[in-house]
Amino acid sequence: MIYEFNGYIPVVHESAFVHPQATVTGNVIIGKNVYVGPGAAIRGDWGEIIIEDNCNVQENCTIHMFPGTTVHLKEMAHIGHGAIIHGATVGRNVLVGMNAVIMDRVEIGDESVIGALCFVRADEQIPPRSVVVGNPHKIVKQVTDEMLSWKTEGTQIYMQLPADCHSTLKACEPLREVPANRQKQQAHYQTWNERKGE
């Protein structure tokens, strides 16, 4: 659902997909091919939220800020299920893992990977291509070319998802039995541990 707030109407590019069960409020700018999943709350009531092209904000994420500040997700930022971004800047082609929390005035450098359940304290500066884990956060190593390639491939799948949702997602009544000819979905992307093991 899209809401005007205090005279600010969200701007959503026509190629983006905001799920009807997500909430986008106020001073929010959403770029091309952005996916916003159900349960996401993107609240531009007290400040600005800029979500650049090819980002994804997955299910049950929260994006918000202290008054008068800007949250900025740069191109291809990938915000995993349940993550919270509060008043931070997330660099280009960054992966923020599931249920991570990124606090106020944090700047995450381009091409970094923030682990699931990680807590990044306010005012931290994360250098580009950092692998960050833990609560509180700790930089443990650098993102390798192989890891960055894997992350980019995963984000490209999400870049296709808005178009797929526009063309195929529709409300329906459930079936009462599994059809005999129900096809299996393709395994065209692997976890990082599976990819490393090749």
Short mmCIF file of all heavy atoms in Angstrom, two decimals, residues 8-48:
data_model
loop_
_atom_site.label_atom_id
_atom_site.label_comp_id
_atom_site.label_asym_id
_atom_site.label_seq_id
_atom_site.Cartn_x
_atom_site.Cartn_y
_atom_site.Cartn_z
N TYR A 8 4.03 14.60 1.09
CA TYR A 8 4.97 13.80 0.31
C TYR A 8 4.27 12.55 -0.23
O TYR A 8 3.69 11.77 0.53
CB TYR A 8 6.17 13.37 1.15
CG TYR A 8 7.10 14.50 1.50
CD1 TYR A 8 7.02 15.11 2.74
CD2 TYR A 8 8.06 14.94 0.59
CE1 TYR A 8 7.88 16.14 3.08
CE2 TYR A 8 8.91 15.98 0.91
CZ TYR A 8 8.83 16.57 2.16
OH TYR A 8 9.67 17.60 2.49
N ILE A 9 4.35 12.37 -1.54
CA ILE A 9 3.80 11.19 -2.20
C ILE A 9 4.97 10.35 -2.69
O ILE A 9 5.87 10.87 -3.37
CB ILE A 9 2.90 11.58 -3.38
CG1 ILE A 9 1.71 12.40 -2.89
CG2 ILE A 9 2.43 10.34 -4.15
CD1 ILE A 9 0.85 12.97 -4.00
N PRO A 10 5.02 9.06 -2.37
CA PRO A 10 6.12 8.22 -2.85
C PRO A 10 6.21 8.23 -4.38
O PRO A 10 5.20 8.35 -5.08
CB PRO A 10 5.75 6.82 -2.34
CG PRO A 10 4.92 7.08 -1.13
CD PRO A 10 4.11 8.30 -1.48
N VAL A 11 7.44 8.10 -4.88
CA VAL A 11 7.71 8.01 -6.31
C VAL A 11 8.21 6.59 -6.56
O VAL A 11 9.23 6.18 -6.01
CB VAL A 11 8.77 9.04 -6.75
CG1 VAL A 11 9.08 8.88 -8.24
CG2 VAL A 11 8.31 10.45 -6.42
N VAL A 12 7.48 5.84 -7.38
CA VAL A 12 7.82 4.44 -7.66
C VAL A 12 7.90 4.26 -9.17
O VAL A 12 6.91 4.48 -9.88
CB VAL A 12 6.77 3.48 -7.07
CG1 VAL A 12 7.14 2.03 -7.37
CG2 VAL A 12 6.62 3.70 -5.56
N HIS A 13 9.06 3.88 -9.68
CA HIS A 13 9.20 3.66 -11.12
C HIS A 13 8.26 2.56 -11.56
O HIS A 13 8.02 1.59 -10.84
CB HIS A 13 10.65 3.30 -11.46
CG HIS A 13 10.92 3.32 -12.93
ND1 HIS A 13 10.70 2.23 -13.74
CD2 HIS A 13 11.37 4.31 -13.74
CE1 HIS A 13 11.01 2.55 -14.99
NE2 HIS A 13 11.42 3.80 -15.02
N GLU A 14 7.74 2.69 -12.77
CA GLU A 14 6.74 1.73 -13.26
C GLU A 14 7.27 0.31 -13.38
O GLU A 14 6.50 -0.65 -13.34
CB GLU A 14 6.17 2.19 -14.60
CG GLU A 14 7.19 2.27 -15.71
CD GLU A 14 6.63 2.84 -17.00
OE1 GLU A 14 5.47 3.30 -17.01
OE2 GLU A 14 7.35 2.81 -18.01
N SER A 15 8.59 0.14 -13.52
CA SER A 15 9.16 -1.21 -13.63
C SER A 15 9.37 -1.86 -12.27
O SER A 15 9.63 -3.06 -12.18
CB SER A 15 10.48 -1.17 -14.39
OG SER A 15 11.46 -0.45 -13.65
N ALA A 16 9.30 -1.08 -11.19
CA ALA A 16 9.45 -1.64 -9.85
C ALA A 16 8.19 -2.40 -9.46
O ALA A 16 7.11 -2.18 -10.02
CB ALA A 16 9.72 -0.52 -8.84
N PHE A 17 8.34 -3.30 -8.48
CA PHE A 17 7.18 -4.01 -7.96
C PHE A 17 7.15 -3.86 -6.45
O PHE A 17 8.07 -4.30 -5.75
CB PHE A 17 7.22 -5.50 -8.31
CG PHE A 17 6.04 -6.26 -7.77
CD1 PHE A 17 4.82 -6.22 -8.42
CD2 PHE A 17 6.14 -6.97 -6.59
CE1 PHE A 17 3.71 -6.88 -7.90
CE2 PHE A 17 5.05 -7.65 -6.07
CZ PHE A 17 3.83 -7.61 -6.72
N VAL A 18 6.09 -3.22 -5.95
CA VAL A 18 5.85 -3.10 -4.51
C VAL A 18 4.67 -4.00 -4.20
O VAL A 18 3.56 -3.77 -4.69
CB VAL A 18 5.56 -1.65 -4.11
CG1 VAL A 18 5.23 -1.57 -2.62
CG2 VAL A 18 6.74 -0.74 -4.46
N HIS A 19 4.90 -5.03 -3.41
CA HIS A 19 3.83 -5.98 -3.11
C HIS A 19 2.67 -5.26 -2.42
O HIS A 19 2.90 -4.36 -1.59
CB HIS A 19 4.36 -7.09 -2.20
CG HIS A 19 3.43 -8.25 -2.12
ND1 HIS A 19 2.33 -8.27 -1.29
CD2 HIS A 19 3.43 -9.44 -2.77
CE1 HIS A 19 1.70 -9.42 -1.42
NE2 HIS A 19 2.34 -10.15 -2.32
N PRO A 20 1.44 -5.62 -2.72
CA PRO A 20 0.28 -4.96 -2.09
C PRO A 20 0.27 -5.06 -0.56
O PRO A 20 -0.37 -4.25 0.10
CB PRO A 20 -0.93 -5.69 -2.69
CG PRO A 20 -0.44 -6.29 -3.95
CD PRO A 20 1.01 -6.59 -3.75
N GLN A 21 0.97 -6.03 -0.01
CA GLN A 21 1.03 -6.16 1.45
C GLN A 21 2.26 -5.49 2.05
O GLN A 21 2.53 -5.63 3.24
CB GLN A 21 0.96 -7.64 1.84
CG GLN A 21 -0.38 -8.25 1.51
CD GLN A 21 -0.41 -9.75 1.72
OE1 GLN A 21 0.61 -10.38 1.95
NE2 GLN A 21 -1.59 -10.32 1.62
N ALA A 22 3.01 -4.76 1.25
CA ALA A 22 4.07 -3.88 1.76
C ALA A 22 3.46 -2.50 2.00
O ALA A 22 2.40 -2.17 1.47
CB ALA A 22 5.22 -3.79 0.77
N THR A 23 4.15 -1.67 2.79
CA THR A 23 3.68 -0.31 3.06
C THR A 23 4.80 0.68 2.75
O THR A 23 5.89 0.58 3.31
CB THR A 23 3.25 -0.16 4.53
OG1 THR A 23 2.26 -1.16 4.84
CG2 THR A 23 2.66 1.21 4.79
N VAL A 24 4.50 1.61 1.85
CA VAL A 24 5.45 2.65 1.47
C VAL A 24 4.80 3.99 1.78
O VAL A 24 3.72 4.29 1.27
CB VAL A 24 5.82 2.56 -0.02
CG1 VAL A 24 6.76 3.68 -0.42
CG2 VAL A 24 6.46 1.20 -0.33
N THR A 25 5.46 4.80 2.62
CA THR A 25 4.84 6.01 3.15
C THR A 25 5.74 7.22 2.92
O THR A 25 6.92 7.20 3.26
CB THR A 25 4.60 5.86 4.67
OG1 THR A 25 3.79 4.70 4.91
CG2 THR A 25 3.93 7.09 5.25
N GLY A 26 5.18 8.28 2.34
CA GLY A 26 5.81 9.60 2.35
C GLY A 26 6.95 9.79 1.38
O GLY A 26 6.86 9.44 0.20
N ASN A 27 8.05 10.35 1.87
CA ASN A 27 9.16 10.82 1.04
C ASN A 27 10.07 9.66 0.67
O ASN A 27 11.19 9.51 1.18
CB ASN A 27 9.93 11.91 1.79
CG ASN A 27 10.91 12.64 0.90
OD1 ASN A 27 10.95 12.42 -0.31
ND2 ASN A 27 11.70 13.50 1.50
N VAL A 28 9.59 8.83 -0.24
CA VAL A 28 10.29 7.62 -0.69
C VAL A 28 10.43 7.68 -2.20
O VAL A 28 9.46 7.98 -2.90
CB VAL A 28 9.53 6.34 -0.28
CG1 VAL A 28 10.25 5.10 -0.79
CG2 VAL A 28 9.35 6.29 1.24
N ILE A 29 11.62 7.37 -2.70
CA ILE A 29 11.88 7.32 -4.14
C ILE A 29 12.40 5.93 -4.46
O ILE A 29 13.44 5.51 -3.92
CB ILE A 29 12.88 8.40 -4.56
CG1 ILE A 29 12.35 9.79 -4.20
CG2 ILE A 29 13.20 8.30 -6.05
CD1 ILE A 29 13.38 10.89 -4.30
N ILE A 30 11.69 5.21 -5.31
CA ILE A 30 12.02 3.83 -5.66
C ILE A 30 12.32 3.77 -7.14
O ILE A 30 11.50 4.15 -7.97
CB ILE A 30 10.87 2.88 -5.28
CG1 ILE A 30 10.69 2.86 -3.75
CG2 ILE A 30 11.11 1.48 -5.82
CD1 ILE A 30 9.53 2.03 -3.26
N GLY A 31 13.51 3.26 -7.49
CA GLY A 31 13.99 3.24 -8.86
C GLY A 31 13.53 2.06 -9.68
O GLY A 31 12.61 1.32 -9.32
N LYS A 32 14.21 1.85 -10.78
CA LYS A 32 13.85 0.82 -11.76
C LYS A 32 14.14 -0.57 -11.23
O LYS A 32 15.14 -0.80 -10.56
CB LYS A 32 14.65 1.02 -13.05
CG LYS A 32 14.40 2.34 -13.75
CD LYS A 32 15.33 2.50 -14.94
CE LYS A 32 15.17 3.88 -15.58
NZ LYS A 32 16.15 4.10 -16.65
N ASN A 33 13.26 -1.50 -11.57
CA ASN A 33 13.44 -2.93 -11.30
C ASN A 33 13.66 -3.24 -9.81
O ASN A 33 14.31 -4.23 -9.47
CB ASN A 33 14.62 -3.51 -12.11
CG ASN A 33 14.44 -3.28 -13.59
OD1 ASN A 33 13.36 -3.51 -14.13
ND2 ASN A 33 15.48 -2.82 -14.26
N VAL A 34 13.12 -2.42 -8.95
CA VAL A 34 13.21 -2.66 -7.50
C VAL A 34 12.10 -3.61 -7.09
O VAL A 34 10.96 -3.48 -7.53
CB VAL A 34 13.11 -1.34 -6.71
CG1 VAL A 34 12.97 -1.60 -5.21
CG2 VAL A 34 14.32 -0.46 -7.00
N TYR A 35 12.44 -4.57 -6.24
CA TYR A 35 11.45 -5.48 -5.66
C TYR A 35 11.28 -5.13 -4.19
O TYR A 35 12.27 -5.03 -3.45
CB TYR A 35 11.91 -6.93 -5.78
CG TYR A 35 11.02 -7.90 -5.02
CD1 TYR A 35 9.80 -8.30 -5.56
CD2 TYR A 35 11.39 -8.39 -3.78
CE1 TYR A 35 8.97 -9.17 -4.86
CE2 TYR A 35 10.57 -9.26 -3.07
CZ TYR A 35 9.36 -9.65 -3.62
OH TYR A 35 8.54 -10.50 -2.93
N VAL A 36 10.03 -4.97 -3.76
CA VAL A 36 9.69 -4.75 -2.35
C VAL A 36 8.71 -5.85 -1.95
O VAL A 36 7.61 -5.93 -2.51
CB VAL A 36 9.09 -3.36 -2.11
CG1 VAL A 36 8.71 -3.20 -0.64
CG2 VAL A 36 10.08 -2.26 -2.53
N GLY A 37 9.10 -6.69 -1.02
CA GLY A 37 8.31 -7.86 -0.66
C GLY A 37 7.21 -7.58 0.34
O GLY A 37 7.18 -6.52 0.98
N PRO A 38 6.29 -8.54 0.49
CA PRO A 38 5.19 -8.38 1.43
C PRO A 38 5.71 -8.21 2.86
O PRO A 38 6.70 -8.81 3.26
CB PRO A 38 4.38 -9.67 1.27
CG PRO A 38 5.28 -10.63 0.59
CD PRO A 38 6.23 -9.83 -0.22
N GLY A 39 5.04 -7.36 3.61
CA GLY A 39 5.41 -7.11 5.00
C GLY A 39 6.48 -6.06 5.17
O GLY A 39 6.75 -5.65 6.30
N ALA A 40 7.09 -5.61 4.08
CA ALA A 40 8.11 -4.56 4.20
C ALA A 40 7.43 -3.25 4.60
O ALA A 40 6.34 -2.93 4.13
CB ALA A 40 8.87 -4.39 2.90
N ALA A 41 8.11 -2.49 5.47
CA ALA A 41 7.63 -1.17 5.88
C ALA A 41 8.72 -0.15 5.54
O ALA A 41 9.81 -0.19 6.11
CB ALA A 41 7.33 -1.14 7.38
N ILE A 42 8.41 0.73 4.59
CA ILE A 42 9.36 1.73 4.13
C ILE A 42 8.75 3.09 4.48
O ILE A 42 7.86 3.57 3.80
CB ILE A 42 9.62 1.57 2.61
CG1 ILE A 42 10.16 0.16 2.34
CG2 ILE A 42 10.57 2.64 2.12
CD1 ILE A 42 10.35 -0.15 0.88
N ARG A 43 9.22 3.68 5.59
CA ARG A 43 8.56 4.84 6.19
C ARG A 43 9.35 6.11 5.97
O ARG A 43 10.27 6.43 6.73
CB ARG A 43 8.40 4.62 7.70
CG ARG A 43 7.20 3.78 8.10
CD ARG A 43 7.12 3.65 9.61
NE ARG A 43 7.14 4.94 10.29
CZ ARG A 43 7.49 5.09 11.57
NH1 ARG A 43 7.89 4.07 12.29
NH2 ARG A 43 7.46 6.29 12.11
N GLY A 44 8.96 6.87 4.96
CA GLY A 44 9.56 8.17 4.73
C GLY A 44 8.73 9.27 5.34
O GLY A 44 8.43 10.26 4.68
N ASP A 45 8.35 9.11 6.59
CA ASP A 45 7.51 10.11 7.26
C ASP A 45 8.34 11.23 7.87
O ASP A 45 7.94 12.39 7.83
CB ASP A 45 6.60 9.46 8.32
CG ASP A 45 7.32 8.50 9.24
OD1 ASP A 45 8.55 8.34 9.13
OD2 ASP A 45 6.64 7.89 10.09
N TRP A 46 9.53 10.92 8.40
CA TRP A 46 10.35 11.94 9.06
C TRP A 46 11.57 12.33 8.24
O TRP A 46 12.26 13.29 8.57
CB TRP A 46 10.81 11.45 10.43
CG TRP A 46 9.68 11.17 11.37
CD1 TRP A 46 8.40 11.65 11.29
CD2 TRP A 46 9.73 10.35 12.53
NE1 TRP A 46 7.65 11.18 12.34
CE2 TRP A 46 8.45 10.38 13.12
CE3 TRP A 46 10.72 9.59 13.14
CZ2 TRP A 46 8.15 9.67 14.28
CZ3 TRP A 46 10.43 8.89 14.29
CH2 TRP A 46 9.15 8.94 14.86
N GLY A 47 11.90 11.56 7.24
CA GLY A 47 13.07 11.83 6.39
C GLY A 47 12.90 11.14 5.06
O GLY A 47 11.86 10.55 4.77
N GLU A 48 13.93 11.22 4.23
CA GLU A 48 13.87 10.72 2.86
C GLU A 48 14.47 9.31 2.77
O GLU A 48 15.44 8.98 3.44
CB GLU A 48 14.68 11.66 1.96
CG GLU A 48 14.70 11.28 0.50
CD GLU A 48 15.51 12.26 -0.33
OE1 GLU A 48 16.61 12.68 0.14
OE2 GLU A 48 15.06 12.62 -1.42
#
